[in-house]
Amino acid sequence: MARAFSVAHSALFCRTSLFQHRNGFKCFTFSIPFSTAAASSLPMTKKWTRPVASAVELGGVKLARDDVVRDDPTNNVPDTIFSKLGMQLHRRDQHPLGILKNAIYEYFDTNYQNKFDKFDDLCPIVSVQQNFDDVLVPADHVSRSYNDTYYINSQTVLRCHTSAHQAELLRKGHNHFLVTGDVYRRDSIDSTHYPVFHQMEGVRVFSPDNWEASGIDATSFAAEDLKKCLEGLACHLFGAVEMRWVDAYFPFTDPSYELEIYFQEKWMEVLGCGVMEQEILRRNNRPNNVAWAFGLGLERLAMVLFDIPDIRLFWSTDKRFTSQFCKGELGIKFKPFSKYPPCFKDISFWINESFTENNLCEIVRGVAGDFVEEVQLIGNFTNNKGMTSHCYRIAYRCMERSLTDEEINELQSNVRELVEKKLNVVLR
């Protein structure tokens, strides 16, 4: 269950920002509190830390840092996340994520005669209504918590999924559409998790004319069409592979499924999908329609298709990485160019009731950025006074060079200082 989220606004005045897609598609208009005090969650003076830009451009609109990173109790967006806004790796044709996106486009264009409208430049800043309420996420769902989601203010977030645009596109009359974009979640640190990743959402809407002639009910018709579509997509990406459907649960679809393929001698989940909840269609002026929807993570599939071992590599600007991939060439196997050794540092402390591992990871990322490879709980115990101690092992490793002892020691020193200060724990 989501823990209570404190709402407080202490602004001098409000600034209204309008974010607009470059082809005229409006994301939304919202007001966010503006303070003249500079927002700074972590020190930015260390020699290994890249300076943070004062503004980014999203969909043709310039966005100032203090629109997103705020000295406000309802804001938990750090500079490390702001620095990723506007990067749009999925729109780079020679990047593995862009190559994969275009391969999926090719499948839908070929099999559905260009029916699917494509959106890949929608603003990632959305309202709580769009991100949660419009797709029927329960009020007490854990994903709404401050621990899991990046809040700009109490009513505005960085989208957790591309489904945040589903309702508005339905209201605008789109019947077939694909939405691709960067999504943001506070998460653990390891080779497959990163606080920014990329998703693709697909939706297809049917009218009574589509299913009445089939002799089966609307839900069954949509489910059969969905499975046929996604089995074809899996073959397009992975070749002739064995597949299976697994029943699942998502708040916005019923029935819900996950598609798994047998690839490299193991079963792998490819995507989640289902028949859209009728309530979503009803709310968006589609009471007589039925629809299906799917969502897939581009990084998850690209890591398999391109043999990329660490999710941090997607953000690398090292030519030894970027030069290995070419537009339109799906499945080029990545050749590792470095094997710099990791350095392990442990940190132990007495936790309190408000402690969460995601908060710890956010601090470590804020200090070390992509120099941190993993944060792992390696031990915990409770003493006879009821106090609980956790010990975490932090693996530092740069993907492009060896880190010096001096750098690592300074990183660890800063981590310890900020963990004690920001998490109100007692170091051991």
Side-chain angles (χ1 to χ4, degrees):
M1 307 293 278
R3 61 184 177 84
F5 182 74
S6 172
V7 178
H9 287 285
S10 54
L12 298 179
F13 58 95
C14 284
R15 172 190 294 172
T16 300
S17 300
L18 176 66
F19 297 90
Q20 189 168 7
H21 186 250
R22 75 176 74 191
N23 64 11
F25 179 84
K26 186 193 299 179
C27 290
F28 68 99
T29 304
F30 69 94
S31 294
I32 58 178
F34 174 79
S35 170
T36 54
S40 179
S41 58
L42 291 172
M44 302 300 299
T45 58
K46 300 302 177 184
K47 62 185 177 182
W48 58 80
T49 305
R50 293 177 181 174
V52 177
S54 61
V56 296
E57 190 168 297
L58 295 174
V61 175
K62 188 164 288 188
L63 183 68
R65 174 181 174 272
D66 56 11
D67 282 331
V68 179
V69 181
R70 306 303 312 282
D71 185 13
D72 184 288
T74 65
N75 182 288
N76 65 345
V77 183
D79 282 322
T80 51
I81 295 300
F82 177 76
S83 69
K84 304 298 184 185
L85 287 172
M87 298 287 282
Q88 296 188 316
L89 302 182
H90 61 286
R91 304 187 75 233
R92 304 180 185 185
D93 290 342
Q94 291 185 301
H95 189 281
L97 299 182
I99 295 168
L100 175 57
K101 181 201 73 174
N102 290 333
I104 298 172
Y105 280 1
E106 179 185 35
Y107 169 78
F108 280 95
D109 287 344
T110 301
N111 290 276
Y112 295 92
Q113 300 177 337
N114 297 306
K115 282 185 177 180
F116 278 79
D117 301 321
K118 305 178 189 70
F119 302 90
D120 70 353
D121 194 20
L122 302 184
C123 180
I125 299 175
V126 299
S127 66
V128 168
Q129 173 80 30
Q130 289 174 294
N131 199 69
F132 298 119
D133 300 323
D134 283 351
V135 287
L136 309 183
V137 176
D140 60 354
H141 196 275
V142 66
S143 65
R144 290 179 180 257
S145 77
Y146 186 89
N147 188 58
D148 282 42
T149 296
Y150 289 108
Y151 281 80
I152 292 174
N153 64 33
S154 64
Q155 297 301 315
T156 312
V157 299
L158 294 175
R159 66 186 169 207
C160 301
H161 47 199
T162 47
S163 302
H165 304 287
Q166 190 180 97
E168 187 165 4
L169 290 169
L170 287 171
R171 287 194 299 273
K172 287 181 174 289
H174 296 281
N175 292 321
H176 302 70
F177 57 87
L178 301 171
V179 179
T180 313
D182 41 327
V183 298
Y184 299 78
R185 296 181 192 173
R186 302 178 90 239
D187 212 338
S188 54
I189 299 177
D190 58 39
S191 63
T192 61
H193 291 87
Y194 201 79
V196 188
F197 56 105
H198 298 75
Q199 283 188 342
M200 180 182 289
E201 171 98 357
V203 171
R204 187 180 191 190
V205 180
F206 301 95
S207 65
D209 291 343
N210 297 124
W211 71 78
E212 285 175 350
S214 70
I216 60 176
D217 64 271
T219 298
S220 299
F221 177 87
E224 286 187 11
D225 187 87
L226 170 67
K227 290 182 177 181
K228 179 181 178 182
C229 170
L230 296 180
E231 286 171 0
L233 176 60
C235 288
H236 179 72
L237 297 178
F238 293 93
V241 290
E242 187 179 351
M243 306 178 205
R244 68 184 183 189
W245 290 97
V246 179
D247 290 338
Y249 165 76
F250 306 110
F252 25 80
T253 55
D254 184 28
S256 302
Y257 313 100
E258 289 176 348
L259 175 61
E260 296 182 348
I261 65 170
Y262 195 71
F263 188 74
Q264 296 179 346
E265 300 185 349
K266 62 181 180 180
W267 286 102
M268 182 186 78
E269 178 193 336
V270 175
L271 50 80
C273 62
V275 178
M276 190 180 295
E277 284 280 5
Q278 204 63 29
E279 177 65 13
I280 295 177
L281 291 166
R282 186 189 66 78
R283 290 184 184 183
N284 294 288
N285 306 317
R286 303 295 193 93
N288 299 319
N289 295 123
V290 67
W292 55 244
F294 73 84
L296 57 84
L298 293 179
E299 276 88 348
R300 178 181 177 82
L301 298 187
M303 289 179 79
V304 174
L305 288 166
F306 294 95
D307 280 353
I308 295 173
D310 194 303
I311 197 168
R312 292 175 297 164
L313 279 165
F314 289 111
W315 299 91
S316 176
T317 57
D318 192 311
K319 289 185 178 180
R320 291 173 294 176
F321 175 78
T322 58
S323 65
Q324 292 191 36
F325 307 101
C326 298
K327 178 180 179 180
E329 296 190 19
L330 183 68
I332 295 174
K333 300 306 179 184
F334 169 67
K335 296 179 177 62
F337 53 81
S338 65
K339 292 184 179 179
Y340 298 109
C343 178
F344 300 101
K345 295 287 186 179
D346 295 348
I347 180 170
S348 298
F349 46 83
W350 299 104
I351 68 170
N352 51 43
E353 290 183 357
S354 64
F355 172 79
T356 71
E357 191 168 306
N358 279 358
N359 285 339
L360 170 65
C361 290
E362 200 68 46
I363 287 174
V364 177
R365 277 198 183 99
V367 172
D370 286 351
F371 290 169
V372 58
E373 180 174 74
E374 185 175 29
V375 175
Q376 182 182 16
L377 178 66
I378 61 171
N380 68 87
F381 73 92
T382 302
N383 66 14
N384 56 13
K385 295 182 179 179
M387 298 172 62
T388 299
S389 172
H390 282 187
C391 180
Y392 288 89
R393 178 155 294 163
I394 303 173
Y396 296 102
R397 189 204 311 246
C398 178
M399 306 297 291
E400 299 165 358
R401 64 178 180 84
S402 290
L403 296 174
T404 66
D405 289 340
E406 180 186 7
E407 286 176 310
I408 293 169
N409 289 337
E410 194 166 0
L411 288 169
Q412 183 69 3
S413 175
N414 278 274
V415 166
R416 289 177 61 84
E417 179 183 346
L418 286 171
V419 164
E420 184 175 37
K421 177 182 178 182
K422 290 183 173 291
L423 301 185
N424 296 317
V425 299
V426 179
L427 298 179
R428 298 182 59 227

